[in-house]
Amino acid sequence: MTSSNTAAVTAENTSRFAQTDRYRVHYHDVGTGHPIVLLHGSGPGATGWSNFWPNIEYLAKDHRVIAVDMPGWGQSDTPNTTVGWDPVLDLVGLLDSLEIGKAALVGNSMGGMTTIGTAVRFPERVSHAITLGAPCPGPNIFSPGGVSEGMKVLLHATNEPSPESLKQLVQIMCYDQSMATDELAELRYQAAISNRDHLKSFFSMFTNPNVPPFGEYFQLAPRIAEVSAPSLFIHGRDDRVLSYEHSLRFVSTIANSRLVVLNRCGHWAQIEHADEFNRIVADFVDH
């Protein structure tokens, strides 16, 4: 494990692999203290590093930070039909392999789904549940009109990855278009095309009737009120992928919870408002 106090934090020097009971999982590991697990969103090129690169070093000053490539993304295995796609079991398996009993979970979008799913199904493993831009399960999970504008762009980039489609993806994720840089688009593009089996696996959720999108998360709506971990919901007021009303539904259902809505912010609060996000998350976990 690399300490942020002794060396620059890079993707290379924090890179690790673990073999769980389900898959070989890649993750970044840095710092010491209470563990904070960072869970990326979906879409082509999503990884623990590409989703949380502005946050890892700051949070690692006083915590052990683990940024995961979930199976189906980054350098982790692609889910197969034998074991199946269940990110909650994948996360718990990783915690077991790292001998972590309880951690603060921070999930963006799909990662927020994993955070909430774990808090419901394995409450003893979650010290804090923090989501940003996450969908609340229930009717019209994306939008009243079906798949949202942002999800349409995401699925197009998954099915037809190109520098242009990945540029469109980072543009729709950000309110401030100066944050949707060519460098970020290229980072996502290279990660996307490095394993096309990942892309096929994710896209099949929306095209194969035998593969339910996002596993059993859709069925969790009646159990959301069971979440007992202190919960923080962060949402961009200008999110074009999943509207901030999702977090309003969470905070109106979960007793021990609070909500932060950021104006001039899209789907990636951790990137567009990194400094504020870092302070809010660190303070919430420590208190």
Side-chain angles (χ1 to χ4, degrees):
M1 185 165 59
T2 303
S3 170
S4 60
N5 295 323
T6 59
V9 174
T10 67
E12 292 72 26
N13 66 21
T14 59
S15 177
R16 308 284 186 272
F17 285 92
Q19 181 63 53
T20 74
D21 59 340
R22 291 167 56 82
Y23 296 114
R24 184 172 186 255
V25 177
H26 178 256
Y27 63 100
H28 300 275
D29 193 345
V30 58
T32 59
H34 187 74
I36 296 177
V37 179
L38 305 177
L39 301 166
H40 62 76
S42 66
T47 66
W49 189 267
S50 70
N51 254 201
F52 291 104
W53 59 267
N55 321 116
I56 293 171
E57 186 165 7
Y58 180 95
L59 295 175
K61 291 191 298 183
D62 299 301
H63 308 89
R64 181 182 181 185
V65 175
I66 298 163
V68 187
D69 290 356
M70 294 301 288
W73 281 269
Q75 298 181 60
S76 294
D77 284 349
T78 303
N80 59 59
T81 55
T82 302
V83 177
W85 193 85
D86 188 331
V88 170
L89 292 184
D90 294 330
L91 174 60
V92 171
L94 178 62
L95 295 178
D96 287 344
S97 71
L98 299 180
E99 300 182 343
I100 294 174
K102 182 177 286 192
L105 306 184
V106 180
N108 175 213
S109 194
M110 181 190 73
M113 297 164 71
T114 304
T115 296
I116 295 299
T118 307
V120 170
R121 294 165 58 188
F122 297 91
E124 72 281 2
R125 309 304 295 268
V126 183
S127 67
H128 304 77
I130 302 168
T131 73
L132 45 149
C136 186
N140 302 326
I141 192 167
F142 293 115
S143 75
V147 177
S148 66
E149 176 191 15
M151 279 300 298
K152 289 177 182 176
V153 172
L154 184 150
L155 290 172
H156 171 69
T158 301
N159 191 40
E160 300 180 28
S162 68
E164 293 75 23
S165 64
L166 269 295
K167 180 67 173 181
Q168 291 174 344
L169 176 65
V170 299
Q171 286 175 329
I172 206 162
M173 295 290 179
C174 298
Y175 170 83
D176 181 355
Q177 291 300 293
S178 70
M179 305 295 293
T181 63
D182 292 339
E183 291 77 14
L184 181 55
E186 179 66 14
L187 176 66
R188 297 279 301 219
Y189 174 65
Q190 292 300 329
I193 62 173
S194 67
N195 190 331
R196 293 182 181 271
D197 286 341
H198 285 349
L199 301 177
K200 294 176 183 177
S201 174
F202 178 67
F203 197 69
S204 70
M205 293 186 197
F206 298 87
T207 57
N208 185 347
N210 297 318
V211 181
F214 301 113
E216 65 175 53
Y217 186 72
F218 285 96
Q219 283 72 54
L220 285 183
R223 301 187 60 191
I224 294 300
E226 296 177 21
V227 174
S228 57
S231 301
L232 170 64
F233 303 102
I234 302 171
H235 222 115
R237 173 63 179 81
D238 309 283
D239 192 332
R240 295 158 70 186
V241 180
L242 293 159
S243 70
Y244 72 95
E245 285 88 354
H246 284 278
S247 286
L248 288 173
R249 287 161 63 183
F250 276 129
V251 81
S252 67
T253 304
I254 296 172
N256 188 8
S257 64
R258 63 187 66 179
L259 169 65
V260 174
V261 176
L262 299 172
N263 276 332
R264 299 181 176 180
C265 179
H267 196 55
W268 287 340
Q270 77 280 16
I271 293 175
E272 284 199 88
H273 295 265
D275 290 343
E276 185 170 6
F277 171 86
N278 293 340
R279 291 193 302 269
I280 291 171
V281 170
D283 184 69
F284 187 73
V285 172
D286 288 339
H287 298 94

